[in-house]
Amino acid sequence: MICPFCRHEESRVVDSRPIDDGSSIKRRRECVECGRRFTTSESTLLFVEKRSGALEPFSREKVISGVRKACQGRPVDDDDLSLLAQRVEEIIRAEGQAEIPSHEVGMAILSPLRELDVIAYLRYASVYRNFTTLEDFEGEIALLRAAPSEDFLAFEKLNSEKNSPNKTSPKNNPASLTNIPNN
Ligand SMILES: [Zn+2]
């Protein structure tokens, strides 16, 4: 790796750490000539096969631009979108293929988008899955109701634990309220 300061060709690695769930690695290097340090990152190449058969490198930016329109007017910010793109990449990389068809990228977007915002998800899914009738929407909404996202399940679980009759929290136990000293 050529030193960006003096163009010397040799450097030594002083630190390495995996980033993005292990799909890339960051290395801190020190130039053996001028002693200055710089960072490099290394990641395995992931290609998307377009419908035409052409290959292009996977791009988180493309994922973001693909869902941005569906998120218009929704409480979704740029951080949410970059996290979503990161999750999409993780889902795809977990499949262990170096080349994936573009429609699988679309599939990988659905689940994290659903967790992020159900309305954006419905908009995206309606285009992506070619919804043509009201029944298509109704079917998807019924599915959303029947199988809430994991976050929602966790939230429900937390709530049911809070309100469980076996655990008497001061809030649910009128007796403990009357025992609060009144001075
Ligand atoms: Zn140097």
Side-chain angles (χ1 to χ4, degrees), residues 2-10 30-38:
I2 293 172
C3 169
F5 303 104
C6 73
R7 315 294 300 164
H8 189 76
E9 283 179 18
E10 262 177 80
E30 190 179 271
C31 174
V32 297
E33 181 66 23
C34 72
R36 282 193 267 192
R37 292 186 172 186
F38 54 97

Side-chain angles (χ1 to χ4, degrees), residues 50-101:
K50 303 206 294 186
R51 256 178 241 163
S52 63
L55 290 178
E56 62 175 29
F58 172 83
S59 145
R60 290 191 189 182
E61 278 310 309
K62 284 216 165 151
V63 170
I64 292 174
S65 63
V67 298
R68 194 182 285 281
K69 205 173 175 190
C71 294
Q72 260 174 23
R74 300 299 304 161
V76 171
D77 61 24
D78 285 351
D79 285 348
D80 293 329
L81 288 177
S82 50
L83 196 64
L84 176 120
Q86 183 185 328
R87 292 202 48 205
V88 170
E89 182 171 349
E90 285 165 8
I91 290 169
I92 291 169
R93 284 188 185 274
E95 285 172 22
Q97 289 170 294
E99 291 167 16
I100 44 144

